[in-house]
Amino acid sequence: MLAALGFCTIGGFLLLTMFKRVSVLVALVLTPVVTAVIGGYGDDLGPMALDGLSQVAPTGIMIAFAVLYFSLMIDAGLFEPLIRAILRIAKNDPLRVTVGTAVLTMCVGLDGDGASTFLISISALLPVYRRLGMSRLVLAGVVALGAGVMNMIPWGGPTARAAATLKLETSDIITPLLPAFAAGIAWVLLASYAIGRRERTRLGGAVTAEPEPAPAAAVGDGPGTPLVARRAGTALTVFNLLLTLALLTGLVLEVMPLPVLFVLAFAIALLVNYPRWEDQQALLEKHGNSVVLVTTMIFAAGVFTGILTGTGMIGKMAHAIVEVIPDSLGGHLPALVAVTSMPLSLVFTPDAYYFGILPVLAGTADSFGTDPAEVARAAVLGQMTTGFPLSPLTAATFILLGMSGVQLGEHQRFIFGWAFGTTLVMTAVAMVTGAVPL
């Protein structure tokens, strides 16, 4: 009965979210509550939900302060010198512009937010593409590749969702995948080079028109949010760069828990960049909405997985699936998850996949003696990492398409092969390094 209730919980959640009957947050909280009550676990709902919330609390804190930190750095103009340098180096060569697009997108993508990455990258580069007569499909495709691979960072969508769902530390997922992550970046640069070379051939070589300078997306527009870095000059920019490098180094070396690192880094950055109380409040108000949207989803996922785990539904579902999976296939489950997660991103929303499907896959793999963390890494390699910029079920995709002015079908046909190639390359490296078992 528990297995049936579990499948009903996940099926109901998928139906409610895929057909947009209710918000993902409502479905995450109420769907398991209803089935738990039907199963006779009404008296234990409180402790089970609280246990789930406590498990995802560190992830929620890390994401909240990571979004605030990188949003502050974007507002402060940390990446503007890089933008200007890329445009200056690229000049009027379509090949250089294409590779520069990938580099810029991956740098901006450090904030882990696909929407803001698309906004900044497209705003900065669309005037250049227009001036040179370059295809907007190239712009949208290369930005999608760069944003996709950068979404793998610990505070990005895939890693955060997987950690919250399976109650893992983000370092358990991302640290073993660092070689694969590096390979993904290299592949994106190679792909952008090939795409840019083809675009240069189409245009007949470097064009004579000189691109106009393209400013980054407008930031700091509200009252009380001046761009202090622009006003203060080089000293503050250097400080922000050193602080960011120190933060990233601390994340890789795990000198402190990741949430603590982001809390400290954001507090220091906020004080130095915005010493006035009014400016600090304005910045928090400006980006608070994004923080609330992300963190409430993470905590709702804690309730979802806490109830499914506490009632034993996940265990029973995994046992039921184990009975129908041949023993010869069970040991290869992580590899299958890695290869199929990218195409599945076109069918399932990220929330549906990570909160509804991944727990069952991880539980099934655990029954075959496979570490659930390995399944989480496999899922991260494709679902959202290279699938979200192509999926019609992801809102950020339409920001990319709307700003670049291309159609979804054309975008998918143009870049799907390169995106799937990113997943395959990273999966192969992950298998070689042992992050994902073959």
Side-chain angles (χ1 to χ4, degrees):
M1 178 180 175
L2 279 178
L5 283 175
F7 286 118
C8 288
T9 302
I10 293 177
F13 170 76
L14 295 177
L15 290 174
L16 289 172
T17 54
M18 289 177 64
F19 291 99
K20 299 182 179 179
R21 297 299 182 184
V22 297
S23 69
V24 174
L25 189 148
V26 172
L28 281 171
V29 174
L30 295 186
T31 306
V33 168
V34 171
T35 53
V37 170
I38 294 174
Y41 292 91
D43 294 338
D44 299 321
L45 278 177
M48 289 188 295
L50 186 60
D51 181 64
L53 287 169
S54 64
Q55 294 289 335
V56 301
T59 300
I61 296 170
M62 182 199 70
I63 292 175
F65 283 92
V67 171
L68 288 173
Y69 180 85
F70 284 106
S71 297
L72 185 155
M73 288 301 165
I74 290 172
D75 282 3
L78 175 63
F79 300 106
E80 286 195 4
L82 177 63
I83 293 173
R84 291 194 297 268
I86 291 173
L87 296 180
R88 184 172 60 252
I89 295 172
K91 295 182 179 179
N92 58 348
D93 186 351
L95 173 58
R96 292 184 179 184
V97 170
T98 306
V99 176
T101 299
V103 174
L104 174 63
T105 302
M106 288 188 286
C107 291
V108 177
L110 281 170
D111 69 346
D113 181 10
S116 65
T117 300
F118 295 152
L119 286 168
I120 294 172
S121 301
I122 300 297
S123 298
L125 295 167
L126 183 57
V128 178
Y129 276 70
R130 286 174 174 169
R131 184 79 174 183
L132 299 180
M134 294 178 63
S135 171
R136 296 186 181 189
L137 281 173
V138 172
L139 174 60
V142 174
V143 168
L145 289 178
V149 74
M150 290 307 296
N151 214 31
M152 190 174 170
I153 55 181
W155 50 94
T159 308
R161 284 180 171 90
T165 301
L166 302 183
K167 299 181 177 63
L168 299 169
E169 294 290 335
T170 53
S171 58
D172 295 335
I173 300 175
I174 193 63
T175 301
L177 287 177
L178 288 178
F181 181 46
I185 293 175
W187 171 262
V188 169
L189 293 175
L190 176 63
S192 64
Y193 178 86
I195 294 171
R197 188 173 181 178
R198 186 173 59 190
E199 185 68 1
R200 176 201 273 174
T201 301
R202 185 184 70 85
L203 294 173
V207 296
T208 57
E210 186 70 22
E212 297 175 351
V219 290
D221 296 329
T225 56
L227 294 183
V228 180
R230 290 178 182 171
R231 190 174 65 229
T234 305
L236 194 53
T237 301
V238 171
F239 171 83
N240 288 334
L241 176 61
L242 293 176
L243 180 61
T244 302
L245 292 176
L247 171 62
L248 296 177
T249 302
L251 293 175
V252 173
L253 299 179
E254 300 181 32
V255 296
M256 289 184 183
L258 270 60
V260 177
L261 284 173
F262 272 109
V263 170
L264 292 176
F266 174 69
I268 295 171
L270 183 62
L271 177 62
V272 174
N273 286 270
Y274 297 90
R276 295 175 59 233
W277 177 85
E278 294 82 1
D279 292 340
Q280 295 174 3
Q281 291 298 112
L283 182 132
L284 292 173
E285 291 174 3
K286 179 180 179 181
H287 300 292
N289 185 54
S290 299
V291 173
V292 170
L293 289 175
V294 174
T295 54
T296 52
M297 203 70 66
I298 293 299
F299 287 119
V303 175
F304 187 88
T305 56
I307 292 176
L308 286 181
T309 302
T311 57
M313 293 182 191
I314 288 183
K316 293 297 183 181
M317 284 188 292
H319 181 73
I321 294 177
V322 167
E323 292 180 347
V324 299
I325 295 180
D327 293 340
S328 59
L329 185 62
H332 302 288
L333 193 57
L336 294 175
V337 170
V339 174
T340 60
S341 59
M342 190 269 181
L344 286 177
S345 68
L346 304 178
V347 179
F348 296 103
T349 65
D351 296 314
Y353 184 86
Y354 280 100
F355 301 142
I357 297 175
L358 183 59
V360 179
L361 293 174
T364 303
D366 186 52
S367 300
F368 285 100
T370 301
D371 188 350
E374 295 174 342
V375 179
R377 294 171 202 147
V380 164
L381 289 173
Q383 226 287 335
M384 280 286 283
T385 301
T386 52
F388 94 97
L390 288 82
S391 174
L393 305 176
T394 306
T397 300
F398 294 98
I399 297 177
L400 171 66
L401 299 178
M403 292 194 65
S404 57
V406 302
Q407 299 297 319
L408 176 62
E410 294 176 334
H411 172 63
Q412 290 177 332
R413 288 192 297 271
F414 179 80
I415 207 64
F416 179 88
W418 291 110
F420 194 34
T422 310
T423 294
L424 296 178
V425 168
M426 291 194 298
T427 299
V429 174
M431 290 178 178
V432 171
T433 58
V436 173
L438 179 59

